[in-house]
């Protein structure tokens, strides 16, 4: 059979593209290398508990907001979303001070203005920019850190306004305002958690794909894309199977995607070198905690805790973990938290010794390093959750190596290719490739996160429509 569309990778972007194209009546096949689909939205089970990998919260789901229309179109608003606290969906602790980030642009600015009265004018300009979200062309060449420090003069407030950006990589020399503003804006509009795991999103999209006649095959890792006469004609797997298609969409990291094309008349060496030379963002260490019963009341917000006011550079420190995000899973029943995730950036230098290893075979030193990092994260979280360490029943850890092995993201990059305001034309990638029937989607192209991947997937679909493929 020759499929109209073959989607490689079943992360959010790939599943959105597959769902929408199958809904149009095209024959669609999704190929996934793992036992289960979902990419960064996968959940996994340990005992009686389910844990998320990449999904912790999402912004802009209310009517008229950033993601509402897209999620309504995708049937995802029917899932059990829980709206986070309007008077502090995120709570930022720096040193001994805690600041609430509130829902709604005016509420956000007015509340922080009470803490920083001398910065009220700057805060108004800040939220006005995030409310109106200037175009990509206007903001992609603007340095986010420079923009922020020109607007806000109190260094502590600069840190507060950046502290929740563990959902992106803060890099003073390169982060574009476009990426910073999009990441912050939708969460201020409204912030939400799922009551349940990210697999609920995956299952909803997969059920729709199948209902529209699409197919999904797991344990089918693509190793080669075969080009003939300037077009991709098939995807080959190590088990000897080959799948033919008229159009191909890769939801896998662009650097890996290009490695599958062994010979090409369309793909020039200069293009390969350009993509392969791009830097990737840092990875994340996660400690997933199972709590003893009835110890910590559920908190309907996220906590971001930093030792010092160095939010933009804390991940470069060599003196231990300087910042952590604390995310509380909505309990299945009752008012007490059952699970908490602790997240912090983890530089690749801490993983490099085990670069050639695979999951489950990294040895005792690696396990000890993970335990040490989990201990440090817990101690830092105890600044706002007294005695957390004594309330933990079990804990499970993951590193960028884990992320790399499951998502194939180079060096376990959490947010894909690093965007650079100094080189936007090089680092903001197109959904098109030099091969006319091969398209890209996913977080490495323009924006990361649930909103960014969703927007990019619809951009991929728009490109395909305009190209009349």
């Amino acid at each position: 059979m020759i499929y109209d569309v073959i989607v490689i990778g079943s992360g959010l972007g790939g599943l959105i593209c597959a769902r929408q194209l199958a809904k149009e009546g095209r024959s669609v096949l999704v190929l996934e290398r793992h036992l289960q689909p979902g990419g960064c939205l996968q959940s996994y089970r340990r005992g009686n508990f389910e844990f998320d990998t990449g999904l912790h919260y999402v912004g802009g789901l209310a009517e008229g907001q950033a993601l509402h229309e897209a999620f309504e179109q995708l049937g995802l608003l029917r899932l059990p979303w829980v709206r986070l606290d309007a008077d502090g969906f995120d709570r930022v602790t720096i040193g001994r001070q805690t600041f609430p980030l509130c829902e709604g642009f005016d509420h956000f600015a007015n509340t922080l203005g009470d803490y920083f009265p001398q910065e009220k004018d700057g805060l108004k300009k800040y939220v006005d920019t995030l409310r109106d979200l200037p175009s990509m062309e206007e903001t992609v060449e603007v340095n986010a850190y420079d923009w922020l420090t020109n607007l806000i003069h109190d260094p502590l407030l600069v840190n507060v306004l950046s502290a929740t950006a563990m959902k992106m990589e803060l890099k003073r020399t390169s982060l574009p305002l476009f990426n910073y503003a999009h990441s912050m804006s939708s969460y201020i509009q409204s912030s939400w958690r799922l009551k349940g795991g990210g697999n609920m999103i995956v299952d909803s999209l997969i059920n729709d794909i199948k209902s529209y006649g699409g197919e999904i095959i797991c344990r089918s890792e693509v190793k080669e894309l075969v080009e003939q006469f300037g077009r991709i004609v098939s995807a080959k797997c190590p088990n000897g199977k080959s799948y033919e298609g008229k159009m191909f969409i890769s939801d896998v990291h662009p650097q890996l995607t290009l490695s599958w094309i062994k010979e090409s008349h369309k793909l020039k060496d200069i293009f390969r070198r350009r993509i392969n030379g791009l830097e990737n963002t840092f990875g994340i260490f996660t400690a997933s905690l199972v709590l003893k019963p009835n110890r910590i009341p559920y908190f309907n917000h996220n906590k971001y805790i930093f030792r010092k006011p160095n939010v933009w550079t804390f991940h470069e420190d060599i003196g231990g973990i300087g910042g952590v995000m604390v995310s509380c899973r909505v309990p299945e029943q009752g008012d007490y938290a059952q699970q908490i995730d602790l997240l912090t950036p983890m530089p690749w230098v801490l993983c490099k010794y085990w670069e050639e290893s695979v999951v489950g075979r990294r040895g005792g030193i690696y396990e000890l390093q993970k335990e040490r990092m989990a201990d440090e994260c817990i101690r830092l979280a105890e600044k706002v959750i007294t005695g957390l360490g004594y309330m933990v029943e079990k804990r499970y850890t993951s590193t960028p190596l884990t992320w790399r092995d499951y998502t194939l993201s180079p060096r376990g990059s959490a947010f894909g290719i690093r965007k650079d305001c100094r080189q936007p034309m090089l680092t903001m990638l197109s959904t098109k490739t030099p091969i006319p029937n091969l398209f890209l989607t996913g977080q490495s192209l323009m924006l990361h996160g649930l909103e960014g991947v969703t927007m990019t997937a619809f951009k991929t679909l728009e490109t395909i429509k305009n190209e009349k493929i």
Side-chain angles (χ1 to χ4, degrees):
M1 176 177 179
I2 300 177
Y3 292 90
D4 291 331
V5 186
I6 294 180
V7 178
I8 304 166
S10 65
L12 177 62
L15 292 178
I16 290 174
C17 289
R19 180 195 187 277
Q20 297 303 94
L21 291 168
K23 187 179 180 182
E24 290 178 6
R26 306 203 197 199
S27 58
V28 174
L29 171 66
V30 180
L31 297 175
E32 170 56 47
R33 70 187 287 263
H34 278 300
L35 294 172
Q36 66 182 57
C40 300
L41 288 180
Q42 285 185 42
S43 303
Y44 66 93
R45 296 199 72 86
R46 294 289 183 271
N48 296 323
F49 294 94
E50 183 181 46
F51 299 89
D52 281 314
T53 50
L55 174 66
H56 290 91
Y57 68 138
V58 62
L61 290 186
E63 189 169 355
Q65 295 179 357
L67 269 181
H68 183 272
E69 183 180 351
F71 269 40
E72 185 173 47
Q73 193 173 339
L74 295 167
L76 296 176
L77 290 181
R78 63 193 174 203
L79 299 179
W81 295 101
V82 175
R83 195 166 188 161
L84 300 189
D85 293 342
D87 290 327
F89 61 89
D90 287 336
R91 313 284 171 92
V92 174
T93 299
I94 299 177
R96 296 182 178 180
Q97 295 178 275
T98 297
F99 307 91
L101 303 189
C102 298
E103 178 184 301
F105 293 108
D106 293 335
H107 190 21
F108 181 96
N110 292 336
T111 302
L112 285 180
D114 290 340
Y115 289 92
F116 301 92
Q118 74 282 12
E119 295 287 1
K120 286 187 176 182
D121 289 343
L123 282 164
K124 183 181 185 306
K125 293 175 183 176
Y126 176 90
V127 296
D128 285 347
T129 299
L130 267 56
R131 192 193 330 252
D132 297 335
L133 277 181
S135 69
M136 179 176 173
E137 291 74 16
E138 293 176 273
T139 54
V140 74
E141 294 185 4
V142 178
N143 180 288
Y145 182 78
D146 290 347
W147 173 81
L148 187 56
T149 52
N150 285 331
L151 198 64
I152 304 296
H153 305 294
D154 188 314
L156 180 57
L157 180 55
V158 169
N159 279 278
V160 171
L161 294 172
S162 312
T164 65
M166 249 180 270
K167 48 185 179 274
M168 67 178 127
E169 183 190 63
L170 293 177
K171 197 167 180 65
R172 287 193 297 191
T173 56
S174 59
L175 180 65
L177 176 58
F178 174 74
N179 298 83
Y180 172 87
H182 269 276
S183 183
M184 296 296 294
S185 176
S186 63
Y187 291 94
I188 296 173
Q189 291 174 30
S190 61
S191 291
W192 308 74
R193 283 188 186 132
L194 266 179
K195 186 175 183 178
N199 272 351
M200 298 175 77
I201 296 175
V202 177
D203 292 344
S204 177
L205 294 172
I206 286 174
N207 289 338
D208 286 351
I209 291 167
K210 290 180 177 178
S211 72
Y212 297 136
E215 299 177 51
I216 298 171
I217 304 178
C218 292
R219 304 181 78 171
S220 295
E221 182 177 3
V222 171
K223 284 296 186 181
E224 184 177 357
L225 291 175
V226 179
E227 180 187 312
Q228 290 181 5
F229 306 110
R231 298 174 71 85
I232 303 298
V233 295
S234 65
K236 297 176 69 173
C237 301
N239 59 9
K241 289 189 177 180
S242 183
Y243 300 93
E244 297 182 353
K246 300 175 184 176
M247 175 172 62
F248 294 77
I249 300 172
S250 177
D251 188 29
V252 179
H253 195 286
Q255 292 170 347
L256 182 60
T257 300
L258 297 188
S259 74
W260 296 333
I261 306 169
K262 311 302 180 185
E263 297 182 12
S264 175
H265 296 291
K266 292 284 188 178
L267 205 60
K268 305 302 182 186
D269 287 343
I270 190 170
F271 182 80
R272 289 183 188 267
R273 288 196 298 270
R274 173 203 155 196
I275 301 300
N276 290 333
L278 295 176
E279 295 180 347
N280 289 284
T281 52
F282 57 52
I284 295 288
F285 173 83
T286 303
S288 297
L289 311 179
V290 177
L291 304 176
K292 295 175 183 177
N294 302 324
R295 297 300 178 92
I296 300 175
Y298 168 72
F299 48 92
N300 196 39
H301 59 269
N302 302 293
K303 302 177 187 291
Y304 290 84
I305 306 124
F306 296 86
R307 294 190 190 282
K308 300 182 293 185
N310 61 342
V311 168
W312 281 79
T313 58
F314 80 97
H315 56 276
E316 300 170 1
D317 289 351
I318 58 174
I321 291 171
V324 66
M325 173 188 174
V326 183
S327 175
C328 188
R329 189 182 178 98
V330 180
E332 294 298 321
Q333 53 186 332
D335 299 324
Y336 284 86
Q338 296 172 302
Q339 295 167 253
I340 286 176
D341 283 350
L342 309 179
L343 297 90
T344 192
M346 185 174 183
W348 185 250
V349 66
L350 297 179
C351 303
K352 192 167 178 60
Y353 180 82
W354 299 277
E355 193 168 14
E356 303 302 321
S357 66
V358 295
V359 170
R361 298 185 179 181
R362 297 191 171 116
I365 297 176
Y366 175 73
E367 295 301 322
L368 286 172
Q369 176 172 270
K370 290 200 296 178
E371 291 304 303
R372 176 189 61 79
M373 292 188 68
D375 288 340
E376 285 192 43
C377 286
I378 289 172
R379 282 196 295 271
L380 188 50
E382 284 181 325
K383 284 182 172 289
V384 295
I385 307 176
T386 304
L388 174 61
Y390 296 105
M391 303 177 194
V392 176
E393 191 169 89
K394 293 181 181 178
R395 64 189 194 186
Y396 305 94
T397 56
S398 65
T399 73
L401 288 162
T402 321
W403 197 263
R404 179 202 66 181
D405 290 352
Y406 281 102
T407 68
L408 296 181
S409 181
R411 295 189 170 187
S413 168
F415 312 118
I417 289 171
R418 178 177 295 137
K419 312 305 183 291
D420 193 331
C421 60
R422 300 164 300 183
Q423 297 179 304
M425 297 300 293
L426 292 178
T427 57
M428 304 290 279
L429 303 185
S430 171
T431 57
K432 295 196 291 185
T433 73
I435 301 173
N437 70 330
L438 174 63
F439 299 88
L440 303 175
T441 198
Q443 68 175 359
S444 282
L445 273 61
M446 295 179 293
L447 289 166
H448 62 273
L450 215 65
E451 179 194 1
V453 171
T454 300
M455 290 174 58
T456 302
F458 277 94
K459 179 66 174 177
T460 302
L461 292 166
E462 180 186 352
T463 303
I464 290 168
K465 182 179 181 180
N466 291 339
E467 295 288 312
K468 298 180 181 178
I469 298 292

